[in-house]
Each structure stands twice: as structure tokens, then as C-alpha cells.
Amino acid sequence: MIKCRNLVKTYGSNKILNNLSFTIEGNKITGIIGRNGVGKTTLLNIIAGHIKETSGDINVFSEKPFNSLTVSANTIFVDENMTFPKTIPLGEVFDWGKRFYPNWNHSLSNRLLDYFSFNSKQYHHQLSKGKTSTFNLIFGLASRCPLTILDEPMTGMDESVRKDMYQVMVKDFIAFPRTILISSHHLDEIDNLIEDVLLLKKGQVLLHQPISELTEWAGGIKGPSEKVKEFLSGKEILFEKELGKNTLYAVVKNNQTLQLNLDSSLEISSVKTSDLCVYLTNETKGGIDDVFSNN
């Protein structure tokens, strides 16, 4: 579905994307993860054909996406900047969607409009931020485009609405599989939704693998500080933090030897996917507590 090789995007002297290379298979839900400013939105806009790469190669539907009618006709891009004509009420917006998108699910769009208590005669520009995001996501999912790009689609939504929309995504994906790319800061909420994770750091691909493998990628170690430090010798440390006077918690890259010769005073635990992504993209191995440290 998507192939990138040595993709670069610069604005002036600022290199946003730095030699990205990856392949995304069709009919999967992939999470595009990374901190603000890492280049997630830029990458998604290049994939959608909205902007052109500076150098490198990218193919979507076996075509260069920029100015491609094939990519445009088979892609929908949902973000907070998505707009609709101010003179067309919400109900009629769906009518236009039905005319434009061949896979449009008109029944789903109208049922969701009712479920989330929209007034079909209201206008898009009159909606609150949360309602705008909800409507945009309904439109994006109802289009059933072969490539559906969701850039921070849950912005401003209440937690209950987000949970409902995640269920909508799963149910409609099962009913009509397609390629979905979702960028979100709520990784702890979408880790049961996505199949693959593409983790970006400093404009580069840090990790790209199934989320089922990512959960086994690292392990947490806790125990007496000296014992933990002794155990950590020669291992790749991702994060460490003092817990109290003489207790240390650390996250290390997992391998087959992690549980071998484990001292009885040490505890090993799994690491949440969202926490792991934070540790991997941190500039330091510590946390905010280090700012207030006297050392």
C-alpha cells in the first residue's frame, strides 16, 4: 500500500523528515506515534499527496502521491483543519459524501449523526471543537476509503465519545477492511485498536513492528538500588527512576537473558506500550523529577 525509501522533507534549513524508510501493508490499522514536532503530520500529508517530499521515494497505490488522481480518489484525510462549505447543513454534507465516495456507508453516517445528537440542519462551522472532531471522524469512516488517514482525530472529544468512536472504528474495519493510519497522543487508548506501530523520533523511524511484539520489547526491573544497578550492568537502559530512599526502577530492552539469574530481591514486570514509547523518545533516561534534583 505505502512504500517509503530515504524520504526527506525540509523547510528552509529545518529537516522535518530525515531519510525515512518503511513499508505499510494494506488492510491494517497502523499507529503513527511520536512527540509533537517529530514530523507525523508532515509524513501523513505527503502520503495523502497534499505536499511534496524534498527528496527520496514514496509510492502510494504504486504511484507518486503528489498530484495523483488515483491517490486523491482513494484517500481521505481527517484532521482538525477539515472543513466543509458553510452553506451546506450537516445532513446534506453526507449526501455529497455519498455522491463522491463509491464505498460510502450512508446508513452508518446517518445513524452515527443521530447517536451523537447532531442536528442535521446545523452547519459545520457552528460546531464546538469536540463536535467538529466527532463529525469529521464520522465522515472519514463512512467514506470507507481504501486509504483512511486520521491525524489526531479525537481532539477535543469527551472520554466517553472517544471510547464510542474507537468501537465504531473496530466494528466498521471488521465489516469493511481498509488501510487506516492513525496518529494519536492517546496511545494507551488505541493500543488495542492498532496492529502495527510506526514510532518516529527526530524525523526518523525508531521502531516499526506489530504492537503484539512491542509489548515484549522491554521489561521493568525494581528492587534495592545496588542490586538493580548490578543487574543492569551491560544492558541497554531505557529509563530509570529512584523510588524512595533505596529502591530503583528501571526499564531495559528485553531479551532471553532478562529473567536468567534474577536475584530474589528483584521484581520483573511488563511495560505499558504507551510508557515504552515515551521512554524511547525521551532525550534522557530519567523523568521530570530530574529537573528538581539537587544533583
Side-chain angles (χ1 to χ4, degrees), residues 221 231 257-268:
I221 302 292
F231 178 81
T257 65
L258 187 59
Q259 299 192 47
L260 297 179
N261 302 318
L262 189 66
D263 190 284
S264 60
S265 64
L266 301 180
E267 300 176 20
I268 186 170

Side-chain angles (χ1 to χ4, degrees), residues 88-108:
I88 300 179
L90 300 180
E92 290 186 27
V93 168
F94 286 161
D95 292 335
W96 283 100
K98 183 180 179 181
R99 297 173 189 174
F100 187 80
Y101 297 103
N103 299 324
W104 181 269
N105 188 335
H106 206 55
S107 174
L108 177 66

Side-chain angles (χ1 to χ4, degrees), residues 242-259:
E242 292 284 350
L243 302 175
K245 187 176 181 180
N246 189 38
T247 302
L248 180 65
Y249 172 75
V251 175
V252 296
K253 186 174 180 179
N254 209 347
N255 56 53
Q256 293 181 347
T257 65
L258 187 59
Q259 299 192 47

Side-chain angles (χ1 to χ4, degrees), residues 37-56:
V38 79
K40 301 189 299 296
T41 296
T42 298
L43 174 60
L44 294 177
N45 272 286
I46 291 175
I47 292 173
H50 294 175
I51 59 177
K52 194 175 188 299
E53 69 279 5
T54 302
S55 63

Side-chain angles (χ1 to χ4, degrees), residues 3 8-9 46 54 61 71 78 87-88 93 96 98 104 118 150-151 158 167 198 222 239 253-255 283 285-286:
K3 293 182 179 180
V8 173
K9 181 61 180 179
I46 291 175
T54 302
F61 299 111
V71 174
V78 177
T87 57
I88 300 179
V93 168
W96 283 100
K98 183 180 179 181
W104 181 269
F118 284 93
L150 311 175
D151 188 15
D158 294 337
Q167 290 192 51
L198 181 66
K222 184 175 75 171
F239 174 81
K253 186 174 180 179
N254 209 347
N255 56 53
E283 296 299 324
K285 294 182 176 64

